[in-house]
Amino acid sequence: MMPVKLLKPTEEAYQYPLLIKQLLLSSQRYAGDNEIVGGNNGKRYSYQEFNERVCRLANVLTEAGVKAGDVVAVLDWDTPRYLECFFAIPMIGAVLHTVNVRLAPEQIVYTMNHAEDKLVLAHDDFLPLLAQVKHELVTVEKYMQLSDSDTPAEAPLKTMGEYESLLKGALPEFDFPDFDENAIATTFYTTGTTGNPKGVYFSHRQLVLHTMTLAATTSMNDNMQLMQVSSVYMPITPMFHVHAWGVPYVATMMGLKQVYPGRYEPATLLKLFMTEKVTFSHCVPTILQMVLSSEKAKAIDFSGWQVLIGGSALTAGLASAALERGIQIYTGYGMSETCPLLSTTWMPLNADEFTHDQQVAKRIKTGRPVPFVNMRIIDSNGRFLPHDGEAMGEVVVRTPWLTQGYLNEPEKSEELWANGWMHTGDVGTIDSTYTLQIRDRIKDVIKTGGEWVSSLDIENLISKHPDIELAAVIGLPDDEWGERPHAIVTARAGASVDRDAVAAHMQQYIDEGLIEKWYLPDTVKVVDEIPRTSVGKIDKKVIREMLKSNG
């Protein structure tokens, strides 16, 4: 390595650490009259009040004995309280554990023990569960009650008090210390197809860099202005899942009006969308489909709503339906391990001239890597493949905000970071314009007749059928072909579909030479609801077992 000249600052120079507290500095500067709104209880906070509440929470935690390095768990719906925890907990040097409340009880217990949680902040809805399993939580010392009611019910286990009451009794100032920017700020758990959930973790430095890049990404494209001073932000991605994709940190730094809906219910989301004049949200495809399919959504004009889709592939059918309803829809790509931002849709300057079909085709692309992301594709031997839009390989990445491993799991961490690149487990292509297109998860690629067939490609084509709402495709073993595709679908209200209808629909793409005949699923099962994971993604593990058991 060539010798480099190192900066040698004077002793008096302040070494500015990249800490989450720096994100809070600018919030009041730009907020103006913008508020932080709680859809769970209707309360509204100015940014000055929000900052004071963060300080009050820091004082409460410190009085409770929380020290730097201690892990504080939160089990809550999406509320302003949770946003306060996003800041106060890591800003005192502790680690925020955002517990996935949709996991099975035994998995919740596993993650809380594995993370070594010391203090737990829990909503009334989750206190009964904690009361049942508290004897299994080996490191937890104290609990705090979170309630949406002004007159909270008695907790089913001993707590140190109720959140609002504790904040009222705390001082509204706190001198947040400086410390090493590489200190762990957050941790949470990602579920796989087998075994226990795996813990990922992120430092203050990583979260600050991710926030700055996300802020630039959501405003640097003329045709994708997601977050500006006038924007109204409402997350529809759980705050326990990758920090709600990190967007709350950006929205707070920019001083935007923020709306936190509590528990996700279509009627509540639609009401808040209209009354608070929401302009930007993000979610997985199934959540948007749920909202658009609700009866109350039929009479709503969604013009002006921008929605970033991630977690699962955005199909052409859903993108088309969203555009027809006035929603400007875009794709984002990332994973729990990547904090999560890696790439987003990139709309060209002449996008307004595109036809509807051209708009759809552009918006469902996985997108271009955002600043600071180095992305490549490799073959099974680890060799880099050309960016020609044809070569398919595993997507590997490098960027400053990737988890450095799985918590206390060195072997899995080495596999994740083999040869110094983070392995995503996704198969994709990259073309000469740096545009990524994810073709499938490695484990979901269907190997039929010596060919690799993308389950996402089949889902995308099936979703274009006018009577089909959602589609999921998996491969099942076949004696002759190795594997064959099988599909489950949900039909639109009042519609009826079967395999013959899907086959007739797919035949047009076969005739046009877009796909081969073996892309046609052997079976098409119509279901009322497609199984989803704890974060709303299509659960192909469950679908595979369901179709296997049905023969």
Side-chain angles (χ1 to χ4, degrees):
M1 178 182 291
M2 295 179 58
V4 295
K5 188 174 183 179
L6 298 176
L7 175 69
K8 294 183 178 180
T10 62
E11 292 184 4
E12 293 79 7
Y14 174 63
Q15 301 304 301
Y16 197 102
L18 298 182
L19 299 173
I20 287 174
K21 72 174 185 177
Q22 318 296 4
L23 302 178
L24 202 59
L25 286 176
S26 65
S27 61
Q28 293 183 73
R29 300 175 190 171
Y30 310 120
D33 295 329
N34 286 340
E35 297 175 313
I36 298 172
V37 181
N40 58 313
N41 57 17
K43 293 183 178 179
R44 298 170 180 271
Y45 308 97
S46 69
Y47 269 80
Q48 180 179 347
E49 290 173 312
F50 172 76
N51 284 337
E52 289 179 358
R53 287 172 62 84
V54 169
C55 292
R56 289 178 187 272
L57 178 55
N59 280 307
V60 169
L61 295 171
T62 303
E63 285 293 319
V66 176
K67 304 182 297 297
D70 287 341
V71 182
V72 179
V74 177
L75 292 84
D76 197 6
W77 305 113
D78 286 12
T79 66
R81 281 187 306 255
Y82 217 144
L83 185 64
E84 291 155 11
C85 293
F86 268 35
F87 286 90
I89 294 171
M91 282 167 56
I92 64 173
V95 179
L96 167 65
H97 175 198
T98 56
V99 179
N100 184 340
V101 297
R102 296 196 180 113
L103 292 176
E106 59 271 19
Q107 289 186 311
I108 290 177
V109 169
Y110 171 82
T111 62
M112 294 178 69
N113 284 333
H114 191 264
E116 300 181 353
D117 296 338
K118 179 177 181 179
L119 173 65
V120 181
L121 284 67
H123 188 278
D124 284 334
D125 289 351
F126 309 115
L127 288 176
L129 166 65
L130 294 176
Q132 292 176 11
V133 302
K134 66 178 182 178
H135 63 284
E136 300 178 50
L137 299 173
V138 296
T139 60
V140 175
E141 298 176 4
K142 295 180 181 179
Y143 298 88
M144 186 190 303
Q145 181 181 11
L146 310 179
S147 182
D148 296 333
S149 173
D150 291 332
T151 55
E154 183 178 350
L157 77 171
K158 183 180 179 181
T159 73
M160 56 180 282
E162 194 276 324
Y163 187 91
E164 292 298 332
S165 298
L166 292 168
L167 258 61
K168 286 178 182 177
L171 292 174
E173 298 94 18
F174 192 95
D175 185 15
F176 292 101
D178 280 356
F179 45 81
D180 192 322
E181 64 185 20
N182 293 303
I184 297 176
T186 66
T187 186
F188 58 90
Y189 285 74
T190 176
T191 56
T193 55
T194 58
N196 288 316
K198 300 186 291 294
V200 297
Y201 51 92
F202 300 94
S203 70
H204 284 255
R205 179 178 186 271
Q206 289 178 314
L207 288 171
V208 170
L209 290 173
H210 183 271
T211 299
M212 298 301 294
T213 304
L214 182 54
T217 300
T218 53
S219 61
M220 65 192 288
N221 187 318
D222 285 34
N223 289 306
M224 201 176 86
Q225 296 287 307
L226 303 182
M227 288 198 287
Q228 299 174 298
V229 174
S230 59
S231 301
V232 180
Y233 164 61
M234 181 175 72
I236 321 181
T237 301
M239 297 178 79
F240 65 71
H241 182 52
V242 207
H243 327 104
W245 299 355
V247 183
Y249 282 124
V250 182
T252 303
M253 180 185 73
M254 296 174 66
L256 302 185
K257 178 179 177 180
Q258 303 183 59
V259 182
Y260 287 88
R263 187 170 186 166
Y264 295 165
E265 297 173 347
T268 300
L269 296 174
L270 291 169
K271 180 181 178 181
L272 291 171
F273 167 75
M274 293 185 291
T275 57
E276 302 298 337
K277 298 178 171 56
V278 173
T279 65
F280 170 52
S281 298
H282 49 80
C283 61
V284 296
T286 49
I287 296 295
L288 181 60
Q289 188 72 61
M290 176 188 73
V291 171
L292 290 178
S293 299
S294 68
E295 191 65 28
K296 291 186 177 181
K298 295 178 181 179
I300 295 177
D301 179 6
F302 288 105
S303 298
W305 195 21
Q306 300 189 89
V307 178
L308 185 66
I309 293 292
S312 300
L314 171 61
T315 64
L318 180 56
S320 179
L323 288 172
E324 288 171 356
R325 298 296 302 277
I327 299 172
Q328 295 299 307
I329 195 165
Y330 311 94
T331 294
Y333 169 63
M335 323 162 46
S336 296
E337 291 86 345
T338 67
C339 199
L341 184 65
L342 292 176
S343 70
T344 61
T345 295
W346 185 262
M347 299 300 291
L349 291 175
N350 66 336
D352 290 343
E353 302 170 9
F354 285 12
T355 66
H356 178 86
D357 288 346
Q358 289 172 327
Q359 290 273 357
V360 169
K362 179 62 69 173
R363 292 168 190 270
I364 65 174
K365 289 281 188 182
T366 315
R368 295 183 185 177
V370 302
F372 298 114
V373 171
N374 189 356
M375 180 181 291
R376 303 293 297 269
I377 51 173
I378 60 172
D379 64 17
S380 58
N381 294 313
R383 294 176 297 211
F384 292 127
L385 296 172
H387 293 179
D388 58 8
E390 297 293 333
M392 280 203 307
E394 183 185 9
V395 179
V396 293
V397 292
R398 286 173 173 170
T399 193
W401 49 78
L402 307 177
T403 189
Q404 297 301 286
Y406 292 120
L407 195 63
N408 300 326
E409 299 196 57
E411 291 184 2
K412 292 180 180 177
S413 299
E414 289 178 11
E415 183 179 341
L416 178 69
W417 275 101
N419 299 316
W421 289 81
M422 178 179 280
H423 292 248
T424 66
D426 287 323
V427 175
T429 60
I430 300 177
D431 66 20
S432 59
T433 69
Y434 303 97
T435 299
L436 168 70
Q437 183 60 50
I438 295 298
R439 300 297 181 183
D440 221 333
R441 292 289 291 169
I442 288 177
K443 62 180 182 291
D444 291 331
V445 171
I446 301 168
K447 305 169 185 67
T448 181
E451 298 279 345
W452 275 23
V453 174
S454 165
S455 66
L456 300 183
D457 285 351
I458 303 175
E459 290 167 3
N460 189 47
L461 294 176
I462 292 176
S463 76
K464 294 183 179 182
H465 191 291
D467 291 333
I468 290 177
E469 191 173 61
L470 275 179
V473 174
I474 55 96
L476 290 179
D478 183 88
D479 291 340
E480 181 179 357
W481 295 89
E483 284 186 328
R484 289 292 301 142
H486 297 259
I488 66 172
V489 301
T490 57
R492 298 193 185 279
S496 177
V497 293
D498 54 21
R499 187 189 182 275
D500 290 343
V502 171
H505 168 73
M506 296 286 279
Q507 189 61 46
Q508 63 184 306
Y509 305 114
I510 296 172
D511 294 342
E512 293 171 8
L514 296 177
I515 58 172
E516 300 293 344
K517 61 183 180 181
W518 52 79
Y519 275 52
L520 183 62
D522 280 5
T523 62
V524 176
K525 180 179 178 64
V526 181
V527 296
D528 293 331
E529 187 175 355
I530 290 179
R532 293 185 288 176
T533 68
S534 61
V535 294
K537 301 178 185 179
I538 291 175
D539 195 332
K540 293 198 172 181
K541 177 177 65 174
V542 171
I543 294 170
R544 190 170 286 109
E545 292 303 316
M546 180 177 75
L547 292 184
K548 278 183 182 178
S549 63
N550 289 341

